[in-house]
Amino acid sequence: MLIEELDEKLKQSEFLGLIIDETVNITIDKKLIVYLKFENSGKAETIFLGNYTIQSGTAQSIYSNVVDVLKERGLDVGRVMGLGSDGASVMMGAHAGVGALLKKESVFAVQVHCIAHRVALAASDASKAVQMVANYKRTINSVYSFYWPATRTSRLRELSAILTDEDMISLKQQCAVRWLSLGKAVSAIKKNWPALIMELSEEAANGNAQSQGLLNIIRSYKFIVLTHTLSDALPVMDKLNKCFQREDVNLGCISPMVQASVAALTHLRHTPGPEEQSFHREYVDGKFKDVAVTEGTEKHVRTFNNTRRQYIEELIEALERRFPHDDLNILKGFDLIFNPDRYPVSCAKPLMEHYRTPKETDGSTVEPLISRENAQRDVVPLLTALRGYGGLNFVTACETVIRELGDIFPDWAKLAKIACTILVSSVAAERGFSLQNRIKTSIRNRMSEEKVTRLMCISSSGPGLKDFNFHRAAEHFNGMKLRRK
């Protein structure tokens, strides 16, 4: 029943947005997870469509599977106006990627590289560009591996309890595929640093060469101060990433949040943050928390200050590179038109040109989605009307145009519906991977693809226990053929 209800909603939406990503399940089957974003009475909704086995990870194979899935659900690929994906070349390839293949069938489709992925890549770019930070990441992973045995972790926990009244924060591993892992790993290192020094010193005194090597590194000035610097800088990136992981993220929040993050990092470039200031207050006579710090000469301090400035500048440049001012002009046009805070509109021309210009594909001409004359004539009255409502944001402005002004401004109502389906993030697919792994586990590894998909659909889109219609479900079950019960 749930799938039939969702299919009916999808059929009523004039346009669709497609979210796809690849993964493998517990049985090492290559899977393609598919979500759809659609417009329902002026509001955007995202639903899980399916999790399908694919034989090949090529762009053509992925695209063919997507087309087959849509046809099976009675949906035309030509209605897909947006494609959200990660930055893999198989998805983003300009000539042979999945997006390029989609645009041959749906010529007005817009492909967007997930903004949450962009933030993670920006942080990764900056870390790779600065050798000291790259070495730091290797060190904290070595510390994590060293304390993997339970006996060492237990001793570290005991020492932490002696030194502080708070519970120890578990050490974390920095992992490239987990967006916020570096920030959590740094936070754990900073919190547990005194206990780490004491425990590693005990291990080194007993002749453990590995602990002596780690002790020499984490006692150094550059390691300690870099830990505090990262504790100031990484939360800026983590907040931006978390903002872009929200389910209700929309086009209107991208530019302001990126600009706010750049401003915060620019301030850090010139002025140490609160964590770094705290370190400098406690660093007295070559000691920090009563521990003698090594490599703390003026030369080492100058070297770190130069590296610190370089890292912050790399973060800023990486953000600006991943979110260029002239990129995503069509998306910015949607934001300018349907976000009253942006008035007066000055550069929504790329948006209008994209949808009111005929497109050539495979020797044929596809008619524009909107009328050039009507769109141009109605833009000023539309903006005036939206401004008159007062207090509208991007989401509520789109809803108002669709539900209340659609008969007056039909072309702009169509664009508002498209705006509801344009994707700025593929986070839904990432959550889908987690959902898949919670359902199909090692002890349930023989569960069929159809059952996994249905359970994922129920979990992601089904009603809560209080809202579930048990009577209707029982009637549906009793009406099924005996062999299907």
Side-chain angles (χ1 to χ4, degrees):
M1 294 186 297
L2 175 61
I3 293 178
E4 287 77 4
E5 291 174 359
L6 295 177
D7 283 346
E8 188 61 31
K9 284 185 177 181
L10 292 174
K11 290 175 182 178
Q12 291 176 1
S13 178
E14 187 174 357
F15 304 108
L16 302 170
L18 179 67
I19 308 173
I20 55 175
D21 208 347
E22 302 170 86
T23 187
V24 293
N25 61 14
I26 191 69
T27 53
I28 322 298
D29 298 317
K30 196 169 187 61
K31 309 293 287 187
L32 179 70
I33 196 163
V34 182
Y35 279 77
L36 283 181
K37 187 177 182 182
F38 63 98
E39 174 268 327
N40 181 19
S41 299
K43 295 183 178 180
E45 295 184 27
T46 302
I47 63 168
F48 169 75
L49 194 67
N51 193 29
Y52 306 96
T53 300
I54 54 175
Q55 302 304 318
S56 168
T58 64
Q60 185 61 59
S61 175
I62 293 172
Y63 177 71
S64 298
N65 275 272
V66 168
V67 172
D68 291 342
V69 167
L70 293 178
K71 286 182 178 179
E72 183 182 333
R73 303 293 283 267
L75 304 172
D76 181 12
V77 70
R79 292 165 58 192
V80 177
M81 290 291 113
L83 172 63
S85 66
D86 59 19
S89 59
V90 70
M91 299 291 182
M92 299 293 294
H95 301 291
V98 175
L101 296 175
L102 171 65
K103 291 176 183 178
K104 292 180 181 179
E105 296 293 331
S106 181
V107 294
F108 295 101
V110 176
Q111 184 176 12
V112 180
H113 178 191
C114 172
I115 55 177
H117 277 89
R118 293 190 191 202
V119 176
L121 289 171
S124 177
D125 291 345
S127 298
K128 292 177 182 177
V130 181
Q131 190 61 44
M132 186 183 292
V133 179
N135 293 339
Y136 179 92
K137 290 167 66 175
R138 285 193 288 271
T139 299
I140 60 177
N141 280 344
S142 296
V143 171
Y144 174 84
S145 299
F146 185 79
Y147 284 98
W148 180 255
T151 53
R152 286 176 179 161
T153 302
S154 296
R155 178 55 180 159
L156 185 64
R157 198 177 300 277
E158 289 175 7
L159 293 174
S160 180
I162 294 172
L163 295 172
T164 66
D165 295 331
E166 301 177 5
D167 293 336
M168 174 188 136
I169 298 178
S170 299
L171 296 174
K172 302 293 191 298
Q173 183 179 27
Q174 190 278 324
C175 183
V177 298
R178 295 190 178 276
W179 293 336
L180 307 177
S181 62
L182 180 56
K184 293 179 179 179
V186 170
S187 178
I189 289 289
K190 184 173 75 71
K191 173 70 176 177
N192 298 317
W193 185 82
L196 283 169
I197 291 293
M198 187 175 292
E199 207 285 328
L200 288 172
S201 297
E202 291 180 359
E203 295 269 0
N206 292 329
N208 189 310
Q210 185 181 3
S211 64
Q212 183 63 62
L214 290 174
L215 179 63
N216 292 340
I217 294 174
I218 71 171
R219 284 177 59 187
S220 66
Y221 174 88
K222 64 181 179 183
F223 181 89
I224 305 169
V225 70
L226 181 56
T227 298
H228 288 76
T229 298
L230 292 175
S231 297
D232 287 320
L234 291 177
V236 176
M237 304 297 287
D238 290 350
K239 286 180 181 178
L240 184 60
N241 199 301
K242 288 178 180 178
C243 172
F244 290 160
Q245 289 184 47
R246 296 182 313 187
E247 292 186 2
D248 61 345
V249 65
N250 60 71
L251 304 176
C253 74
I254 299 177
S255 181
M257 288 303 301
V258 172
Q259 291 174 6
S261 300
V262 169
L265 291 172
T266 301
H267 179 72
L268 284 177
R269 179 173 57 185
H270 302 294
T271 306
E275 295 293 345
E276 189 176 345
Q277 291 178 19
S278 172
F279 164 76
H280 288 302
R281 285 194 300 269
E282 295 186 55
Y283 179 58
V284 181
D285 297 330
K287 291 186 176 182
F288 177 67
K289 295 186 182 297
D290 296 326
V291 176
V293 175
T294 61
E295 300 179 3
T297 65
E298 290 185 7
K299 179 181 177 181
H300 288 102
V301 172
R302 286 196 302 270
T303 299
F304 173 77
N305 288 337
N306 291 333
T307 302
R308 174 190 177 282
R309 189 180 306 108
Q310 179 192 0
Y311 176 65
I312 299 297
E313 289 174 352
E314 288 288 346
L315 276 177
I316 295 171
E317 291 176 9
L319 269 181
E320 292 177 340
R321 184 169 60 251
R322 293 287 178 178
F323 294 89
H325 295 298
D326 58 349
D327 192 22
L328 305 177
N329 284 330
I330 294 174
L331 302 190
K332 286 187 177 182
F334 277 121
D335 184 29
L336 289 169
I337 291 293
F338 296 114
N339 198 335
D341 291 339
R342 304 284 188 269
Y343 298 164
V345 176
S346 58
C347 55
K349 184 177 179 181
L351 167 70
M352 299 174 67
E353 288 299 322
H354 180 72
Y355 293 106
R356 71 183 187 184
T357 303
K359 306 288 184 182
E360 298 292 334
T361 176
D362 295 332
S364 61
T365 301
V366 178
E367 293 299 316
L369 284 180
I370 62 174
S371 165
R372 176 185 297 268
E373 294 76 15
N374 291 347
Q376 187 67 43
R377 182 191 63 219
D378 291 342
V379 62
V380 173
L382 171 71
L383 299 182
T384 304
L386 289 177
R387 188 161 45 208
Y389 276 84
L392 296 180
N393 56 29
F394 181 86
V395 174
T396 54
C398 286
E399 183 179 359
T400 299
V401 171
I402 295 170
R403 300 184 64 174
E404 300 183 26
L405 303 176
D407 293 339
I408 305 172
F409 307 111
D411 289 294
W412 287 104
K414 184 175 290 188
L415 290 180
K417 291 179 181 179
I418 294 175
C420 289
T421 64
I422 294 291
L423 298 142
V424 296
S425 168
S426 61
V427 170
E430 304 294 336
R431 293 194 178 102
F433 297 153
S434 299
L435 177 59
Q436 167 199 261
N437 294 334
R438 289 197 300 271
I439 291 175
K440 188 166 185 175
T441 63
S442 57
I443 60 175
R444 293 190 288 187
N445 62 75
R446 299 192 66 181
M447 191 179 294
S448 68
E449 176 183 297
E450 181 182 4
K451 182 169 289 187
V452 172
T453 294
R454 288 181 177 274
L455 289 174
M456 290 178 70
C457 184
I458 292 170
S459 178
S460 60
S461 303
L465 191 61
K466 292 182 179 180
D467 300 322
F468 186 78
N469 191 331
F470 289 94
H471 180 71
R472 184 182 174 192
E475 288 183 341
H476 179 77
F477 180 77
N478 290 331
M480 295 171 63
K481 293 182 179 179
L482 183 61
R483 68 174 184 273
R484 298 195 64 185
K485 292 183 179 179

